[in-house]
Coordinates of all heavy atoms in Angstrom, one line a residue:
M1 N -25.2 -9.8 -6.5 CA -25.1 -10.8 -5.5 C -25.5 -10.2 -4.1 O -25.0 -9.1 -3.8 CB -23.5 -11.2 -5.5 CG -23.1 -12.1 -4.2 SD -21.4 -12.4 -4.2 CE -21.0 -11.7 -2.5
T2 N -26.3 -10.9 -3.4 CA -26.6 -10.4 -2.1 C -26.3 -11.5 -1.1 O -26.7 -12.7 -1.3 CB -28.1 -10.0 -2.1 OG1 -28.4 -9.0 -2.9 CG2 -28.5 -9.6 -0.6
S3 N -25.5 -11.2 -0.1 CA -25.2 -12.2 1.0 C -24.9 -11.5 2.3 O -24.6 -10.3 2.3 CB -24.1 -13.1 0.5 OG -23.0 -12.4 0.1
I4 N -24.7 -12.3 3.3 CA -24.3 -11.7 4.6 C -22.7 -11.9 4.7 O -22.2 -13.0 4.4 CB -24.9 -12.5 5.7 CG1 -26.4 -12.4 5.8 CG2 -24.3 -12.1 7.1 CD1 -27.2 -13.2 6.8
L5 N -22.0 -10.8 4.9 CA -20.6 -10.8 4.9 C -20.1 -10.1 6.2 O -20.9 -9.4 6.8 CB -20.0 -10.0 3.7 CG -20.4 -10.6 2.4 CD1 -20.1 -9.6 1.2 CD2 -19.8 -11.9 2.1
R6 N -18.8 -10.3 6.5 CA -18.2 -9.6 7.6 C -17.3 -8.5 7.2 O -16.6 -8.7 6.3 CB -17.4 -10.6 8.5 CG -16.8 -10.1 9.7 CD -16.0 -11.2 10.5 NE -16.8 -12.4 10.7 CZ -17.7 -12.5 11.7 NH1 -18.0 -11.5 12.5 NH2 -18.4 -13.6 11.8
V7 N -17.4 -7.3 7.9 CA -16.5 -6.2 7.5 C -15.1 -6.5 8.1 O -15.0 -6.8 9.2 CB -17.0 -4.9 8.0 CG1 -16.1 -3.7 7.8 CG2 -18.5 -4.6 7.4
V8 N -14.0 -6.3 7.2 CA -12.7 -6.5 7.6 C -12.2 -5.1 7.9 O -11.6 -4.8 9.0 CB -11.8 -7.2 6.5 CG1 -10.3 -7.2 7.0 CG2 -12.4 -8.6 6.3
S9 N -12.3 -4.1 7.0 CA -11.9 -2.8 7.2 C -12.6 -1.8 6.3 O -13.3 -2.2 5.3 CB -10.4 -2.7 6.9 OG -10.0 -3.1 5.6
Q10 N -12.4 -0.5 6.5 CA -13.0 0.4 5.7 C -12.1 1.7 5.6 O -11.5 2.1 6.6 CB -14.4 0.9 6.3 CG -15.1 2.0 5.4 CD -16.5 2.4 6.0 OE1 -16.9 2.0 7.0 NE2 -17.1 3.3 5.3
T11 N -11.9 2.3 4.5 CA -11.1 3.4 4.3 C -11.9 4.8 4.6 O -13.1 4.6 4.7 CB -10.6 3.7 2.9 OG1 -11.6 3.8 2.0 CG2 -9.7 2.4 2.4
G12 N -11.2 5.8 4.8 CA -11.9 7.1 5.0 C -12.4 7.6 3.6 O -12.2 7.0 2.5
V13 N -13.3 8.5 3.7 CA -14.1 9.1 2.6 C -13.2 10.1 1.9 O -12.5 10.9 2.5 CB -15.4 9.7 3.1 CG1 -16.1 10.3 1.9 CG2 -16.3 8.8 3.8
T14 N -13.2 9.9 0.5 CA -12.6 10.8 -0.4 C -13.7 11.4 -1.3 O -14.7 10.8 -1.4 CB -11.4 10.3 -1.1 OG1 -11.9 9.2 -1.9 CG2 -10.3 9.8 -0.2
Y15 N -13.3 12.5 -1.9 CA -14.3 13.1 -2.9 C -13.6 13.1 -4.2 O -12.5 13.6 -4.4 CB -14.7 14.5 -2.5 CG -15.5 14.4 -1.1 CD1 -14.9 14.4 0.1 CD2 -17.0 14.3 -1.2 CE1 -15.6 14.3 1.3 CE2 -17.6 14.2 -0.1 CZ -17.0 14.2 1.1 OH -17.8 14.1 2.3
V16 N -14.3 12.6 -5.2 CA -13.8 12.5 -6.6 C -14.7 13.3 -7.5 O -15.9 13.5 -7.3 CB -13.7 11.1 -7.1 CG1 -12.7 10.3 -6.3 CG2 -15.1 10.3 -7.0
P17 N -14.1 13.9 -8.6 CA -14.9 14.6 -9.5 C -15.9 13.7 -10.3 O -15.6 12.6 -10.5 CB -14.0 15.2 -10.6 CG -12.5 14.9 -10.0 CD -12.8 14.0 -8.9
S18 N -17.2 14.2 -10.4 CA -18.1 13.4 -11.1 C -19.2 14.4 -11.8 O -19.6 15.4 -11.2 CB -19.0 12.6 -10.1 OG -20.1 12.0 -10.6
Q19 N -19.4 14.1 -13.0 CA -20.3 14.9 -13.8 C -21.8 14.6 -13.4 O -22.8 15.4 -13.6 CB -20.2 14.8 -15.3 CG -18.9 15.3 -15.7 CD -18.6 15.0 -17.3 OE1 -19.4 14.3 -17.9 NE2 -17.6 15.5 -17.7
K20 N -22.1 13.4 -12.8 CA -23.4 12.9 -12.4 C -23.8 13.5 -11.0 O -24.9 13.5 -10.8 CB -23.4 11.4 -12.5 CG -23.2 10.8 -13.8 CD -23.3 9.4 -13.8 CE -23.0 8.7 -15.1 NZ -23.1 7.3 -15.1
A21 N -22.8 13.7 -10.2 CA -23.2 14.1 -8.8 C -23.5 15.7 -8.8 O -22.8 16.4 -9.5 CB -22.0 13.9 -7.9
E22 N -24.4 16.0 -7.8 CA -24.8 17.4 -7.6 C -23.5 18.0 -7.0 O -22.8 17.5 -6.1 CB -25.8 17.5 -6.6 CG -27.1 18.1 -7.1 CD -28.3 18.2 -6.1 OE1 -28.1 19.1 -5.2 OE2 -29.1 17.3 -6.2
G23 N -23.2 19.2 -7.4 CA -21.9 19.9 -6.9 C -20.7 19.4 -7.6 O -19.6 20.0 -7.3
G24 N -20.7 18.5 -8.4 CA -19.5 17.9 -9.2 C -18.6 17.1 -8.5 O -17.6 16.8 -9.0
Q25 N -19.0 16.7 -7.2 CA -18.1 15.8 -6.5 C -18.9 14.6 -5.9 O -20.0 14.9 -5.5 CB -17.4 16.5 -5.3 CG -16.3 17.5 -6.0 CD -15.3 17.9 -4.8 OE1 -15.5 17.7 -3.7 NE2 -14.1 18.2 -5.2
L26 N -18.3 13.5 -5.9 CA -18.9 12.3 -5.4 C -18.1 11.7 -4.2 O -16.9 11.5 -4.3 CB -19.0 11.3 -6.5 CG -19.7 9.9 -6.2 CD1 -21.3 10.1 -5.9 CD2 -19.6 9.0 -7.3
A27 N -18.8 11.4 -3.1 CA -18.2 10.7 -2.0 C -17.8 9.3 -2.4 O -18.7 8.6 -2.9 CB -19.1 10.8 -0.7
K28 N -16.6 8.8 -1.9 CA -16.2 7.4 -2.2 C -15.3 6.9 -1.2 O -14.5 7.6 -0.6 CB -15.4 7.5 -3.6 CG -14.8 6.2 -4.0 CD -14.0 6.5 -5.3 CE -13.4 5.2 -5.8 NZ -12.6 5.3 -7.0
C29 N -15.5 5.6 -0.9 CA -14.6 4.9 0.1 C -14.6 3.5 -0.3 O -15.3 3.0 -1.1 CB -14.9 5.1 1.5 SG -16.4 4.3 2.1
V30 N -13.8 2.7 0.3 CA -13.6 1.3 0.0 C -13.8 0.5 1.2 O -13.3 0.8 2.3 CB -12.2 1.0 -0.6 CG1 -12.0 -0.4 -0.9 CG2 -12.0 1.7 -2.0
V31 N -14.5 -0.6 1.1 CA -14.8 -1.5 2.3 C -14.2 -2.9 1.8 O -14.5 -3.3 0.7 CB -16.1 -1.5 2.7 CG1 -17.1 -2.1 1.7 CG2 -16.3 -2.3 4.0
R32 N -13.6 -3.5 2.8 CA -13.1 -4.9 2.6 C -14.1 -5.8 3.3 O -14.3 -5.7 4.5 CB -11.7 -5.1 3.1 CG -11.0 -6.4 2.9 CD -9.6 -6.5 3.3 NE -9.1 -7.7 3.4 CZ -7.8 -8.0 3.7 NH1 -7.1 -7.0 4.1 NH2 -7.4 -9.2 3.7
L33 N -14.6 -6.8 2.6 CA -15.7 -7.7 3.1 C -15.2 -9.2 2.9 O -14.6 -9.5 2.0 CB -17.0 -7.6 2.3 CG -17.6 -6.1 2.4 CD1 -18.7 -6.0 1.3 CD2 -18.0 -5.8 3.7
K34 N -15.6 -10.0 3.9 CA -15.2 -11.4 3.8 C -16.4 -12.3 4.1 O -17.2 -12.0 4.9 CB -14.1 -11.7 4.9 CG -13.6 -13.1 5.0 CD -12.5 -13.1 6.0 CE -11.8 -14.5 5.8 NZ -10.6 -14.5 6.7
E35 N -16.6 -13.4 3.4 CA -17.6 -14.3 3.5 C -17.5 -15.0 4.9 O -16.4 -15.1 5.4 CB -17.5 -15.4 2.5 CG -17.9 -14.9 1.1 CD -17.8 -16.0 0.0 OE1 -17.1 -17.0 0.2 OE2 -18.5 -15.8 -1.0
L36 N -18.6 -15.5 5.5 CA -18.5 -16.2 6.8 C -18.0 -17.5 6.7 O -18.1 -18.2 5.7 CB -20.0 -16.2 7.3 CG -20.7 -14.8 7.6 CD1 -22.1 -15.0 8.1 CD2 -19.9 -14.0 8.5
G37 N -17.4 -17.9 7.7 CA -16.8 -19.3 7.7 C -15.4 -19.3 8.3 O -15.2 -18.7 9.3
G38 N -14.5 -19.9 7.7 CA -13.1 -20.1 8.2 C -12.2 -19.0 7.8 O -12.6 -17.9 7.3
K39 N -10.9 -19.2 8.1 CA -9.9 -18.2 8.0 C -9.7 -18.0 6.4 O -9.2 -16.8 6.2 CB -8.6 -18.8 8.6 CG -7.4 -18.0 8.6 CD -6.3 -18.6 9.3 CE -5.0 -17.8 9.2 NZ -3.9 -18.4 9.9
Y40 N -9.9 -18.9 5.6 CA -9.6 -18.7 4.2 C -10.8 -18.5 3.3 O -10.7 -18.8 2.2 CB -8.7 -19.9 3.8 CG -7.5 -20.1 4.5 CD1 -7.4 -21.1 5.5 CD2 -6.4 -19.3 4.3 CE1 -6.3 -21.3 6.2 CE2 -5.3 -19.5 5.0 CZ -5.2 -20.4 6.0 OH -4.1 -20.6 6.8
E41 N -11.8 -17.9 3.8 CA -13.0 -17.6 2.9 C -12.7 -16.4 2.0 O -11.8 -15.6 2.1 CB -14.2 -17.2 3.9 CG -14.6 -18.3 4.8 CD -15.1 -19.5 4.1 OE1 -15.7 -19.5 2.9 OE2 -14.8 -20.7 4.6
N42 N -13.5 -16.4 0.9 CA -13.4 -15.3 0.0 C -13.5 -14.0 0.5 O -14.3 -13.7 1.3 CB -14.4 -15.6 -1.2 CG -14.1 -16.8 -2.0 OD1 -13.0 -17.1 -2.2 ND2 -15.2 -17.4 -2.4
E43 N -12.8 -13.0 0.0 CA -12.9 -11.6 0.3 C -13.1 -10.7 -0.9 O -12.8 -11.1 -2.0 CB -11.5 -11.1 1.1 CG -11.4 -11.8 2.4 CD -10.2 -11.2 3.2 OE1 -9.9 -10.0 3.0 OE2 -9.6 -11.9 4.0
F44 N -13.8 -9.6 -0.6 CA -14.1 -8.6 -1.7 C -13.7 -7.3 -1.3 O -13.8 -6.9 -0.2 CB -15.5 -8.7 -2.1 CG -16.1 -10.0 -2.4 CD1 -16.7 -10.8 -1.4 CD2 -16.0 -10.7 -3.6 CE1 -17.2 -12.1 -1.6 CE2 -16.5 -11.9 -3.8 CZ -17.1 -12.7 -2.9
I45 N -13.2 -6.5 -2.2 CA -12.9 -5.1 -2.0 C -14.1 -4.4 -2.8 O -14.0 -4.5 -4.0 CB -11.5 -4.6 -2.5 CG1 -10.4 -5.4 -1.7 CG2 -11.4 -3.1 -2.4 CD1 -10.3 -5.0 -0.3
A46 N -14.9 -3.7 -2.1 CA -16.0 -3.0 -2.8 C -16.0 -1.5 -2.5 O -15.5 -1.0 -1.5 CB -17.3 -3.5 -2.2
T47 N -16.4 -0.8 -3.6 CA -16.4 0.6 -3.5 C -17.8 1.1 -3.1 O -18.8 0.6 -3.5 CB -16.1 1.3 -5.0 OG1 -14.8 0.8 -5.4 CG2 -16.2 2.8 -4.9
L48 N -17.8 2.1 -2.1 CA -19.1 2.6 -1.6 C -19.1 4.0 -2.2 O -18.2 4.8 -2.1 CB -19.1 2.7 -0.1 CG -18.9 1.4 0.7 CD1 -18.9 1.8 2.1 CD2 -19.9 0.4 0.3
L49 N -20.2 4.4 -2.8 CA -20.3 5.7 -3.4 C -21.5 6.5 -2.9 O -22.5 5.9 -2.4 CB -20.6 5.5 -5.0 CG -19.5 4.8 -5.8 CD1 -19.9 4.5 -7.2 CD2 -18.2 5.6 -5.8
G50 N -21.3 7.9 -3.0 CA -22.4 8.8 -2.6 C -22.8 8.6 -1.1 O -21.8 8.6 -0.2
N51 N -24.1 8.6 -0.7 CA -24.5 8.6 0.7 C -23.9 7.3 1.4 O -23.7 7.4 2.6 CB -26.0 8.6 0.8 CG -26.5 10.0 0.4 OD1 -25.9 11.0 0.4 ND2 -27.8 10.0 -0.1
L52 N -23.8 6.2 0.7 CA -23.4 5.0 1.3 C -21.9 5.1 1.8 O -21.6 4.5 2.8 CB -23.5 3.9 0.3 CG -23.3 2.4 0.8 CD1 -24.3 2.2 2.0 CD2 -23.5 1.4 -0.3
A53 N -21.2 6.0 1.1 CA -19.7 6.2 1.5 C -19.6 6.9 2.9 O -18.7 6.7 3.6 CB -19.0 7.0 0.5
G54 N -20.6 7.6 3.2 CA -20.7 8.2 4.5 C -21.0 7.4 5.7 O -20.9 7.8 6.8
C55 N -21.5 6.1 5.4 CA -21.8 5.3 6.6 C -20.5 4.6 7.1 O -19.6 4.4 6.4 CB -22.7 4.1 6.0 SG -24.3 4.7 5.4
V56 N -20.5 4.5 8.4 CA -19.3 4.0 9.1 C -19.6 2.6 9.5 O -20.5 2.2 10.2 CB -18.9 4.8 10.3 CG1 -17.6 4.2 11.0 CG2 -18.6 6.2 9.9
F57 N -18.6 1.6 9.0 CA -18.7 0.3 9.4 C -17.4 -0.1 10.2 O -16.3 0.5 9.9 CB -18.9 -0.7 8.2 CG -20.1 -0.3 7.5 CD1 -20.2 0.5 6.3 CD2 -21.4 -1.0 7.9 CE1 -21.4 0.6 5.7 CE2 -22.5 -0.7 7.2 CZ -22.5 0.1 6.1
H58 N -17.4 -1.0 11.1 CA -16.2 -1.3 11.9 C -15.9 -2.7 11.6 O -16.7 -3.6 11.2 CB -16.6 -1.2 13.4 CG -17.0 0.3 13.8 ND1 -16.1 1.3 13.8 CD2 -18.1 0.8 14.0 CE1 -16.7 2.4 14.2 NE2 -17.9 2.1 14.2
A59 N -14.6 -3.2 11.9 CA -14.2 -4.5 11.8 C -15.1 -5.5 12.5 O -15.6 -5.2 13.6 CB -12.8 -4.6 12.3
D60 N -15.5 -6.6 11.9 CA -16.3 -7.6 12.5 C -17.8 -7.3 12.4 O -18.6 -8.2 13.0 CB -15.9 -8.0 14.0 CG -14.5 -8.7 13.8 OD1 -14.3 -9.5 12.9 OD2 -13.7 -8.5 14.8
D61 N -18.2 -6.1 11.9 CA -19.7 -5.9 11.7 C -20.1 -6.9 10.7 O -19.5 -7.2 9.7 CB -19.9 -4.5 11.2 CG -19.8 -3.4 12.3 OD1 -19.7 -3.7 13.4 OD2 -19.8 -2.3 11.8
L62 N -21.3 -7.4 11.0 CA -21.9 -8.3 10.0 C -23.0 -7.4 9.1 O -23.7 -6.6 9.8 CB -22.8 -9.5 10.7 CG -22.0 -10.5 11.3 CD1 -22.9 -11.5 12.0 CD2 -20.9 -11.1 10.4
V63 N -22.9 -7.6 7.8 CA -23.7 -6.7 6.9 C -24.4 -7.6 5.9 O -23.9 -8.6 5.5 CB -23.0 -5.6 6.2 CG1 -22.4 -4.6 7.2 CG2 -21.8 -6.2 5.4
I64 N -25.6 -7.2 5.5 CA -26.2 -7.8 4.3 C -25.7 -6.8 3.1 O -25.9 -5.7 3.2 CB -27.8 -7.7 4.3 CG1 -28.3 -8.6 5.5 CG2 -28.4 -8.2 3.0 CD1 -29.7 -8.5 5.7
A65 N -24.9 -7.5 2.3 CA -24.3 -6.6 1.2 C -25.0 -7.1 -0.1 O -25.0 -8.3 -0.5 CB -22.9 -7.0 1.1
T66 N -25.3 -6.1 -0.9 CA -25.7 -6.3 -2.3 C -24.5 -5.7 -3.2 O -24.3 -4.5 -3.1 CB -27.0 -5.6 -2.7 OG1 -28.0 -6.1 -1.8 CG2 -27.4 -5.9 -4.1
L67 N -23.8 -6.7 -3.9 CA -22.7 -6.1 -4.6 C -22.9 -6.3 -6.2 O -23.6 -7.2 -6.6 CB -21.4 -7.0 -4.2 CG -21.1 -7.0 -2.9 CD1 -19.8 -8.0 -2.6 CD2 -20.8 -5.7 -2.4
R68 N -22.4 -5.3 -6.9 CA -22.5 -5.3 -8.4 C -21.2 -5.5 -8.9 O -20.2 -4.7 -8.7 CB -23.2 -4.0 -8.9 CG -23.4 -3.9 -10.4 CD -23.9 -2.6 -10.9 NE -22.8 -1.6 -10.7 CZ -23.0 -0.4 -10.5 NH1 -24.2 0.1 -10.3 NH2 -22.0 0.5 -10.3
F69 N -21.0 -6.5 -9.7 CA -19.7 -6.8 -10.4 C -19.9 -6.4 -11.8 O -20.8 -6.7 -12.5 CB -19.4 -8.3 -10.4 CG -19.3 -8.9 -9.0 CD1 -20.4 -9.2 -8.2 CD2 -18.0 -9.1 -8.5 CE1 -20.3 -9.7 -6.8 CE2 -17.9 -9.6 -7.1 CZ -18.9 -9.9 -6.4
Q70 N -18.8 -5.6 -12.3 CA -18.9 -5.2 -13.6 C -17.4 -5.2 -14.2 O -16.4 -5.0 -13.4 CB -19.4 -3.7 -13.8 CG -18.7 -2.7 -12.9 CD -19.5 -1.4 -12.9 OE1 -20.7 -1.4 -12.9 NE2 -18.8 -0.3 -12.9
V71 N -17.2 -5.4 -15.5 CA -16.0 -5.4 -16.1 C -16.0 -4.3 -17.1 O -16.9 -4.1 -17.8 CB -15.8 -6.8 -16.8 CG1 -14.4 -6.8 -17.6 CG2 -15.8 -7.9 -15.7
R72 N -14.8 -3.7 -17.3 CA -14.6 -2.6 -18.2 C -13.3 -2.7 -19.0 O -12.4 -3.4 -18.4 CB -14.7 -1.2 -17.6 CG -13.7 -0.9 -16.4 CD -14.0 0.4 -15.7 NE -13.2 0.5 -14.5 CZ -11.9 0.9 -14.5 NH1 -11.4 1.4 -15.5 NH2 -11.3 1.0 -13.4
D73 N -13.3 -2.3 -20.2 CA -12.1 -2.5 -21.0 C -11.5 -1.1 -21.1 O -12.2 -0.1 -21.6 CB -12.6 -3.1 -22.4 CG -11.4 -3.4 -23.2 OD1 -10.7 -4.3 -22.9 OD2 -11.2 -2.6 -24.3
V74 N -10.2 -1.0 -20.8 CA -9.4 0.3 -21.1 C -8.1 -0.1 -21.8 O -7.3 -0.7 -21.3 CB -9.1 0.9 -19.7 CG1 -8.3 2.2 -19.8 CG2 -10.4 1.2 -18.9
N75 N -8.1 0.4 -23.0 CA -6.9 0.2 -23.9 C -6.5 -1.3 -23.9 O -5.3 -1.6 -23.8 CB -5.8 1.0 -23.4 CG -6.0 2.5 -23.4 OD1 -6.7 3.0 -24.2 ND2 -5.4 3.3 -22.4
G76 N -7.5 -2.2 -24.2 CA -7.2 -3.5 -24.4 C -7.0 -4.3 -23.0 O -6.8 -5.6 -23.1
Q77 N -7.0 -3.6 -21.9 CA -6.9 -4.3 -20.6 C -8.3 -4.4 -20.1 O -9.1 -3.5 -20.0 CB -5.9 -3.5 -19.7 CG -4.6 -3.5 -20.2 CD -3.8 -4.8 -20.0 OE1 -4.1 -5.6 -19.1 NE2 -2.9 -5.1 -21.0
Q78 N -8.6 -5.5 -19.3 CA -9.9 -5.7 -18.7 C -9.7 -5.6 -17.2 O -8.7 -5.9 -16.5 CB -10.5 -7.1 -18.9 CG -11.0 -7.3 -20.3 CD -9.9 -7.6 -21.3 OE1 -8.9 -8.2 -21.0 NE2 -10.1 -7.0 -22.5
Y79 N -10.6 -4.7 -16.6 CA -10.6 -4.5 -15.1 C -12.0 -4.9 -14.5 O -13.0 -4.5 -15.2 CB -10.3 -3.0 -14.8 CG -9.0 -2.6 -15.3 CD1 -8.8 -2.1 -16.6 CD2 -7.8 -2.7 -14.6 CE1 -7.6 -1.6 -17.0 CE2 -6.6 -2.4 -15.0 CZ -6.5 -1.7 -16.3 OH -5.2 -1.4 -16.7
Q80 N -12.0 -5.4 -13.3 CA -13.2 -5.7 -12.7 C -13.5 -4.7 -11.5 O -12.5 -4.5 -10.7 CB -13.3 -7.1 -12.1 CG -14.6 -7.4 -11.4 CD -14.6 -8.9 -11.0 OE1 -13.7 -9.6 -10.9 NE2 -15.9 -9.3 -10.7
D81 N -14.6 -4.1 -11.4 CA -15.0 -3.3 -10.4 C -16.1 -3.9 -9.6 O -17.0 -4.6 -10.1 CB -15.6 -1.9 -10.9 CG -14.5 -1.1 -11.7 OD1 -13.4 -1.0 -11.1 OD2 -14.8 -0.4 -12.6
I82 N -16.1 -3.8 -8.3 CA -17.1 -4.3 -7.4 C -17.6 -3.1 -6.6 O -16.9 -2.4 -5.9 CB -16.6 -5.3 -6.4 CG1 -15.9 -6.5 -7.1 CG2 -17.8 -5.8 -5.5 CD1 -15.2 -7.5 -6.1
V83 N -19.0 -2.7 -6.9 CA -19.6 -1.6 -6.3 C -20.6 -2.0 -5.3 O -21.5 -3.0 -5.7 CB -20.2 -0.7 -7.3 CG1 -20.9 0.5 -6.7 CG2 -19.1 -0.2 -8.3
A84 N -20.6 -1.6 -4.1 CA -21.7 -2.0 -3.2 C -22.9 -1.1 -3.5 O -22.8 0.1 -3.4 CB -21.2 -1.8 -1.7
Q85 N -24.0 -1.7 -3.8 CA -25.3 -1.0 -4.1 C -25.9 -0.8 -2.8 O -26.7 0.2 -2.7 CB -26.1 -1.8 -5.0 CG -25.5 -1.9 -6.5 CD -26.4 -2.7 -7.4 OE1 -26.7 -3.8 -7.2 NE2 -26.8 -1.9 -8.5
N86 N -25.8 -1.7 -1.9 CA -26.5 -1.6 -0.5 C -25.7 -2.3 0.5 O -25.2 -3.4 0.2 CB -27.9 -2.1 -0.6 CG -28.8 -1.6 0.4 OD1 -28.5 -0.8 1.2 ND2 -30.0 -2.0 0.4
L87 N -25.6 -1.8 1.6 CA -24.9 -2.4 2.8 C -25.8 -2.1 4.0 O -25.9 -1.0 4.4 CB -23.5 -1.8 3.0 CG -22.3 -2.7 3.1 CD1 -22.3 -3.6 1.9 CD2 -21.0 -1.9 3.2
I88 N -26.3 -3.2 4.7 CA -27.2 -3.0 5.8 C -26.5 -3.6 7.1 O -26.3 -4.8 6.9 CB -28.6 -3.5 5.6 CG1 -29.2 -2.8 4.4 CG2 -29.4 -3.5 6.8 CD1 -30.5 -3.5 3.9
K89 N -26.2 -2.9 8.0 CA -25.6 -3.4 9.3 C -26.6 -4.4 10.0 O -27.8 -3.9 10.3 CB -25.0 -2.4 10.1 CG -24.3 -3.0 11.3 CD -23.7 -1.7 12.1 CE -23.0 -2.3 13.4 NZ -22.5 -1.3 14.2
L90 N -26.2 -5.5 10.4 CA -27.1 -6.4 11.2 C -26.9 -6.1 12.7 O -25.7 -6.0 13.1 CB -26.8 -7.9 10.8 CG -27.1 -8.4 9.5 CD1 -26.7 -9.8 9.4 CD2 -28.6 -8.3 9.2
N91 N -27.9 -5.9 13.4 CA -27.8 -5.7 14.9 C -27.8 -7.1 15.6 O -28.6 -8.0 15.4 CB -29.1 -5.0 15.4 CG -29.1 -3.7 14.9 OD1 -28.1 -3.0 14.6 ND2 -30.3 -3.1 14.6
M92 N -26.6 -7.3 16.3 CA -26.4 -8.6 17.0 C -25.9 -8.4 18.3 O -25.4 -7.5 18.7 CB -25.5 -9.4 16.1 CG -26.0 -9.6 14.7 SD -25.2 -11.1 13.9 CE -25.8 -12.5 14.8

């Protein structure tokens, strides 16, 4: 899914162990995004990984977001992950 969204908030960067990342650690943070429109528009909590986690976004920034939705099964329970593949800040 690619759309224009508004940033609500962003957490600080943490580092998590990863066998795929160079050095064995991967940068990770979470951003809360909201669709444009009224007070009750849909919101998404998306994970930013790697270099994208190092980007700083502020509340009310408009971004073009490409989000990947995936579902995983753990011990019979289903969980949905939303990962931001790309976040581009719009200059306004």
Side-chain angles (χ1 to χ4, degrees):
M1 170 185 125
T2 299
S3 59
I4 297 175
L5 302 170
R6 183 177 309 281
V7 174
V8 176
S9 63
Q10 180 180 6
T11 65
V13 176
T14 59
Y15 293 88
V16 295
S18 172
Q19 295 177 354
K20 296 180 182 179
E22 245 181 76
Q25 291 200 335
L26 181 65
K28 177 180 178 181
C29 75
V30 174
V31 66
R32 183 174 169 182
L33 302 167
K34 186 173 186 174
E35 290 180 338
L36 301 179
K39 182 177 179 182
Y40 301 104
E41 296 301 323
N42 292 325
E43 292 189 24
F44 305 96
I45 299 293
T47 302
L48 307 179
L49 299 170
N51 292 336
L52 192 54
C55 298
V56 177
F57 298 96
H58 301 284
D60 293 325
D61 282 350
L62 292 180
V63 295
I64 298 173
T66 302
L67 304 177
R68 181 183 70 211
F69 296 81
Q70 58 191 34
V71 175
R72 57 189 168 89
D73 185 70
V74 178
N75 299 326
Q77 296 288 328
Q78 289 78 36
Y79 298 92
Q80 180 175 14
D81 293 324
I82 303 173
V83 177
Q85 293 181 300
N86 204 1
L87 231 55
I88 300 170
K89 183 176 174 181
L90 295 175
N91 294 328
M92 300 199 72

